[in-house]
Amino acid sequence: MKVLITGGAGFIGSNIVHYWLDNYPKDIVINLDALKYSGNLDNLRDIEKSPKYKFYHSDISRYDEIEPIFKQGVDVVVNFAAQTHVDRSLYEPNEFINSNIIGTRNLLEACLKYQVKRFHQISTDEVFGDLAINDKHKFTAETLLNPSNEYAASKASAEMFIMAYLHTHHLPATISNCTNNIGPYQYPEKFVPLAITNILEGKKVPVYGTGKNIRDWIYVIDHCRAIDVILKKGKPGERYLIGSDHREINNIQLLSKIIKVMDIPGDWMEFVTDRPGHDRKYAVDWTKIGKLGWKPKYSLDQSIRLTVEWYMKNTRWWKKIKSGEYRKAYEKIYGKNY
Ligand code: TDX
């Protein structure tokens, strides 16, 4: 089988490229990535020479760049390519419109034209908006889309296009909405890698607002396992929510756990001005994918420990990012100023 992973040089994308090559050695994995600021080929050094892996430096927001890849024949497309950082979406929304909406629509068009057997969209629980801190409800596959920031609005819009292609063209598409991921290769602008790397650098960790916002954290490998199950057993036209088994945890509690695992003495938390429109709480009911035989394997403590260990071991990886070194290298290689 030929699997096209878009955004395969990003955090979750590169984890699934590794996962797929490890678990399905007969398959061909094609990685299409625009290598924007968070796409990083260092995430794939160990497999870049594999005969089962191919990389294309292309941008999904450019149909002319992606069509030649589809022409070669692709069985399944999993779309990880997206701008994902909420804070950035507040000041550069056009990037989010281009990658997340126009990019998805281009992929849908190519999937239709080249009769791809399955298109799977990696979406987010953020498309459902937020819950009140004390709300006992969780998001389900029936929850209405109600995005509350520009990032979430762009992902929700992409979903609307998928629904249109499902209805009008019967494109065999599925959607998954996963909660916050942690694990190796996450760009250190997101809360967990930012916290770990800041502490390793002796810097404080900025905690937005009260620090009482709640998220539902999942280890990235559990997310990869869930995608695998959806591709095999999921039904076209359906959405599946992916979440964890942990009790609710707010940002202060999460950071305290990270600090405990790191065991570096210091007063690391610094409360800063809140993110505008900061979503209060996400909580995901994953019963539907549970019926397909999936459940998360990693506990929160295990997920934190594995993530902390990875960042402590791979200092070169994140120092290169934080210093801007790898961006400069890409400018040289690709002649573009991303
Ligand atoms: O410096 C920070 N300080 C802080 O308190 C940052 C970067 C974040 N936070 C808070 C905001 C959130 O409550 O930590 C929480 C997690 O923040 P992010 O890592 O930015 O994630 P979040 O805003 O929850 O969005 C994420 O969840 C869904 C991802 O960024 C999305 O890509 C995913 O789709």
Side-chain angles (χ1 to χ4, degrees), residues 84-87 124-126 151 178-180 189-192 194 206-208 213 215 217 251 275 278-279 282:
T84 64
H85 194 47
V86 175
D87 298 310
T124 165
D125 56 2
E126 294 206 15
Y151 159 64
C178 190
T179 191
N180 289 53
E189 65 185 348
K190 298 282 166 73
F191 188 53
V192 170
L194 179 85
V207 177
Y208 294 159
N213 303 62
R215 297 289 184 269
W217 302 91
N251 294 338
R275 169 188 280 171
H278 193 172
D279 281 349
Y282 308 139

Side-chain angles (χ1 to χ4, degrees), residues 48-118:
E48 68 187 359
K49 297 211 164 69
S50 161
K52 298 291 182 185
Y53 169 76
K54 268 190 187 168
F55 171 68
Y56 290 93
H57 180 219
S58 321
D59 188 338
I60 58 166
S61 69
R62 296 274 311 270
Y63 188 81
D64 59 326
E65 288 190 10
I66 63 168
E67 189 170 31
I69 302 164
F70 280 83
K71 266 190 189 155
Q72 298 172 26
V74 169
D75 298 302
V76 169
V77 175
V78 188
N79 181 26
F80 287 89
Q83 292 291 322
T84 64
H85 194 47
V86 175
D87 298 310
R88 278 179 193 262
S89 76
L90 308 180
Y91 58 86
E92 32 180 63
N94 287 346
E95 285 286 313
F96 287 70
I97 292 167
N98 288 335
S99 298
N100 301 0
I101 308 175
I102 297 173
T104 303
R105 198 261 165 189
N106 283 338
L107 290 171
L108 293 169
E109 198 52 34
C111 285
L112 195 64
K113 184 165 175 191
Y114 293 94
Q115 298 179 345
V116 168
K117 294 186 196 100
R118 173 73 73 82

Side-chain angles (χ1 to χ4, degrees), residues 163-191:
M163 289 171 195
Y165 271 74
L166 270 162
H167 183 84
T168 307
H169 304 293
H170 310 291
L171 186 81
T174 39
I175 297 173
S176 57
N177 303 83
C178 190
T179 191
N180 289 53
N181 283 226
I182 53 171
Y185 306 117
Q186 189 170 28
Y187 196 82
E189 65 185 348
K190 298 282 166 73
F191 188 53

